[in-house]
């Protein structure tokens, strides 16, 4: 094989990695879509803000179940075929949501979204090992997982921006069109990925899990892996208890109009992207102190928002940006901690399950607080769970279980 052939093959593999990264961005953006559109959808489909929050809870719960179930039931299928099928399902889900005539149809569409999220994220996270040479696996995995982190902080502002000019249905149509375009891109760039690849001759990198975990590795649920899963539930559920209802909070408490809300969420998203890369660089060495710092930032900012009050300029906007900076680094930090804890594809599936259960629990609990107490009270719930997450991380270090 000539150098030109080798160079072309290398470029093709990295193009596949980039395509999968766009895929993770697309599925998580689709999951987050209702957050910035909540009040508009609730009004159009004639439900309360708290009930509308089920659009976040339902796909989160479905994804939590579908991740481990699909990891087991499709283990013999070519991963390329599986990923293409899941992306096609996502396109159908988004387009169904765009034209939903009532709330039950919207929830049915969100169930399909949850299946796609759970399977695609769980399989995509481990593809770096199979797409690039051994020495580049860490970089490839970071690129793929960056799609999740960036979507978590940019997806909502972008959707809100689109809806402010063309309506919430247009935002769903845009995500459906993106999923269809990505389906074609994945079909063109992904090589065959047999469900049960032969064992690699070399050992995995020290910070990575083996390609497939043994049954005994599930015992780690009482060790480092279990700690990360608990932290995931506390911090992510706290975030989504508050963040799912950030738009009605800004509208009702800060009296911000649609344009100001869109601008505020875009700034939040930009801060989140910065937090993602800043935290990733530091968490690669030791994720625990990074996670503690991020949780503290989230707790301080969510507690400060209802205390500051209105209007949404100056200090309140700065606090919202600090929240974005804190949460932006949470995803990549937890992912790096999971990689250091091990567990293989099943460990990744458990993490995806915990993450999505947390989204569901947080948005559901937040909805009950919004409907039963007040929109401001939900921010205190987010702050309390962030504090609990930080305390749990500190205590886990004292007991000898660290992220080092």
């Amino acid at each position: 094989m000539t150098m030109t052939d080798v160079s072309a093959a290398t470029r093709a593999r990295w193009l596949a990695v980039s395509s999968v990264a766009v895929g993770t961005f697309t599925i998580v953006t689709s999951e987050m879509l209702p957050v910035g559109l909540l009040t508009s959808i609730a009004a159009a489909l004639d439900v309360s803000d708290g009930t509308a929050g089920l659009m976040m809870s339902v796909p989160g719960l479905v994804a939590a179940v579908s991740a481990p179930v699909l990891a087991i039931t499709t283990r013999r299928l070519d991963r390329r075929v599986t990923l293409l099928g899941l992306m096609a399902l996502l396109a159908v889900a988004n387009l169904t949501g765009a034209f939903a005539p009532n709330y039950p149809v919207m929830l049915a569409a969100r169930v399909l979204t949850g299946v796609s999220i759970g399977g695609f994220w769980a399989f995509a996270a481990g593809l770096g090992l199979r797409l690039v040479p051994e020495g580049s696996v860490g970089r490839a995995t970071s690129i793929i997982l960056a799609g999740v982190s960036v979507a978590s902080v940019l997806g909502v502002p972008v959707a809100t921006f689109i809806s402010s000019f063309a309506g919430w249905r247009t935002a769903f149509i845009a995500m459906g069109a993106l999923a269809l375009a990505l389906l074609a891109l994945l079909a063109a760039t992904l090589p065959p990925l047999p469900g049960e690849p032969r064992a690699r001759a070399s050992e995995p990198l020290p910070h990575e899990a083996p390609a497939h975990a043994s049954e005994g590795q599930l015992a780690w649920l009482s060790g480092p892996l279990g700690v990360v899963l608990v932290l995931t539930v506390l911090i992510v559920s706290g975030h989504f208890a508050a963040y799912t209802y950030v738009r009605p909070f800004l509208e009702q408490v800060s009296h911000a109009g649609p344009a100001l809300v869109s601008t505020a969420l875009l700034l939040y998203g930009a801060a989140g992207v910065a937090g993602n890369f800043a935290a990733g660089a530091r968490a690669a060495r030791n994720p625990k102190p990074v996670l503690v710092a991020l949780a503290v930032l989230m707790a301080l900012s969510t507690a400060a928002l209802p205390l500051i009050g209105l209007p949404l300029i100056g200090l309140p906007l700065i606090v919202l940006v600090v929240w974005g900076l804190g949460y932006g680094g949470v995803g990549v930090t937890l992912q790096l901690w999971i990689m250091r804890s091990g567990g293989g594809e099943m460990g990744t599936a458990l993490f995806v399950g915990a993450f999505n259960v947390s989204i569901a629990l947080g948005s559901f609990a937040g909805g009950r607080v919004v409907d039963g107490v007040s929109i401001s009270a939900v921010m205190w719930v987010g702050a309390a769970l962030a504090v609990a997450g930080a305390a749990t991380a500190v205590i886990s270090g004292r007991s000898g279980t660290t992220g080092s």
Side-chain angles (χ1 to χ4, degrees), residues 190-227:
L190 281 180
L193 299 165
E196 293 186 338
R198 65 180 183 274
R200 303 180 74 96
S202 56
E203 292 294 323
L205 295 176
H207 62 282
E208 295 176 319
H212 35 80
S214 66
E215 292 183 5
Q217 287 174 310
L218 295 182
W220 295 347
L221 288 174
S222 61
L225 180 57
V227 170

Side-chain angles (χ1 to χ4, degrees), residues 32-51:
M32 302 295 107
L33 205 55
V35 172
L37 315 177
L38 198 90
T39 53
S40 300
I41 297 175
L45 301 183
D46 195 26
V47 295
S48 71
D49 289 344
T51 300

Side-chain angles (χ1 to χ4, degrees), residues 9 90 100 104 108 112 115 164 175 180 253 314 351 353 357 379 402:
L90 183 67
L112 299 181
V115 174
S164 65
M175 290 310 303
L180 288 174
V253 177
F351 171 58
V357 163
M379 295 296 163
T402 73

Side-chain angles (χ1 to χ4, degrees), residues 113-288:
T113 301
V115 174
S116 179
I117 292 166
F120 195 101
W121 186 358
F123 297 143
L127 284 184
L129 187 65
R130 305 180 61 184
L131 289 175
V132 299
E134 196 76 54
S136 301
V137 168
R139 179 187 170 199
T141 302
S142 296
I143 292 173
I144 290 171
L145 295 180
V148 176
S149 300
V150 174
S152 297
V153 294
L154 277 186
V156 171
V158 170
T160 306
F161 182 78
I162 293 173
S163 69
S164 65
F165 290 96
W168 66 267
R169 293 186 186 273
T170 302
F172 273 87
I173 291 172
M175 290 310 303
L178 177 59
L180 288 174
L182 186 57
L183 176 63
L185 180 62
L186 289 170
T189 59
L190 281 180
L193 299 165
E196 293 186 338
R198 65 180 183 274
R200 303 180 74 96
S202 56
E203 292 294 323
L205 295 176
H207 62 282
E208 295 176 319
H212 35 80
S214 66
E215 292 183 5
Q217 287 174 310
L218 295 182
W220 295 347
L221 288 174
S222 61
L225 180 57
V227 170
V228 182
L229 296 180
V230 169
L231 292 172
T232 300
V233 172
L234 288 172
I235 296 175
V236 176
S237 62
H239 170 75
F240 281 97
Y243 188 58
T244 300
Y245 305 96
V246 69
R247 179 166 181 169
F249 175 87
L250 296 177
E251 292 175 343
Q252 297 172 28
V253 177
S254 298
H255 296 285
L260 185 54
V261 169
S262 298
T263 301
L265 291 179
L266 281 172
L267 290 174
Y268 167 94
V273 173
N276 171 67
F277 290 105
R282 290 162 177 77
R285 294 187 292 273
N286 188 0
K288 183 175 77 69

Side-chain angles (χ1 to χ4, degrees), residues 95-117:
L95 293 175
T96 299
F99 297 102
N102 52 51
Y103 194 59
V105 173
M106 173 61 81
L107 283 185
R110 298 298 287 170
V111 168
L112 299 181
T113 301
V115 174
S116 179
I117 292 166

